[in-house]
Amino acid sequence: MFDFLIVGVVATLMLDIVQQLMKLAFGWPTTNWGIIGRWAAGLPQGQFVNQQIGKSPPVKNELTLGWLVHYGVGIAYGAIYLFLVYVVFGTTPGFVPAMIFGLGSVAVTWFMMEPILGAGVMGANTPNPMVTRLHDLGSHFGFGLGLYLGGLLIGG
C-alpha cells in the first residue's frame, strides 16, 4: 500500500549518495537544498519564478524545508513511477523502466527548475554548464538506480 514511500525514499537517498560520490571523485558540489527551501518558501506568496534566488535573502529553516521538498518530490516521483509501471504499462518495476524514468526525470531539472531559479535551460547560465549537466545526469542516474533498488525491496 505504501510501496511508493519505500521506492521514493530509496531513490532519493541514492541520488544523494551519487552526489556525494561525484563530489569525492570530481570535486563537484552537491545540490544546495537550502536554495530549494528558499524557493519553496516563496510559493505561498505566489513567487514561482525567482531568477535571483542566490541573491535573495535567506529564509528561516530554508535548509530543512529544502530537504523536505527534495524527499517529498522523490516520494511523489516514486508514486508516479509505480503508477506508470503497474497501471499504465501493466508490468512490474525493473532495471530498464527505472533507469528510463530516473534519467528522464532530469528534464524537470533542466527545463523547469534551473530556468525558474535563474540557472537557464540545462544550466546554461551557470559558471560551468557542462559540469552542471553532467552533475544533473549523474544525480538522476542515481535516482533511477534507487528506483530499481526500491523496486527490489518491495518485491517488484
Side-chain angles (χ1 to χ4, degrees):
M1 180 170 172
F2 294 103
D3 289 351
F4 71 96
L5 285 172
I6 294 168
V7 171
V9 167
V10 169
T12 308
L13 182 61
M14 282 303 301
L15 181 149
D16 294 332
I17 290 169
V18 167
Q19 283 197 3
Q20 291 297 326
L21 292 172
M22 290 187 299
K23 182 177 182 179
L24 287 171
F26 308 116
W28 298 346
T30 58
T31 300
N32 178 352
W33 298 114
I35 291 293
I36 299 302
R38 190 177 305 171
W39 169 76
L43 293 174
Q45 290 79 35
Q47 185 169 16
F48 183 71
V49 176
N50 187 340
Q51 295 284 315
Q52 301 292 319
I53 192 75
K55 295 178 183 176
S56 297
V59 298
K60 186 177 181 182
N61 300 315
E62 67 181 28
L63 184 58
T64 301
L65 179 57
W67 278 100
L68 289 171
V69 168
H70 172 49
Y71 272 81
V73 167
I75 290 166
Y77 277 175
I80 294 166
Y81 167 70
L82 292 178
F83 175 81
L84 289 171
V85 168
Y86 288 133
V87 177
V88 175
F89 296 109
T91 186
T92 57
F95 183 75
V96 172
M99 295 310 296
I100 290 170
F101 188 90
L103 287 168
S105 68
V106 78
V108 175
T109 300
W110 281 348
F111 301 110
M112 187 181 97
M113 290 308 297
E114 288 176 348
I116 66 174
L117 296 178
V121 172
M122 296 179 73
N125 298 340
T126 62
N128 192 334
M130 188 53 67
V131 167
T132 299
R133 292 171 191 140
L134 291 171
H135 175 273
D136 296 343
L137 276 173
S139 299
H140 288 263
F141 170 86
F143 190 78
L145 186 59
L147 289 172
Y148 171 66
L149 295 174
L152 291 177
L153 281 176
I154 63 169

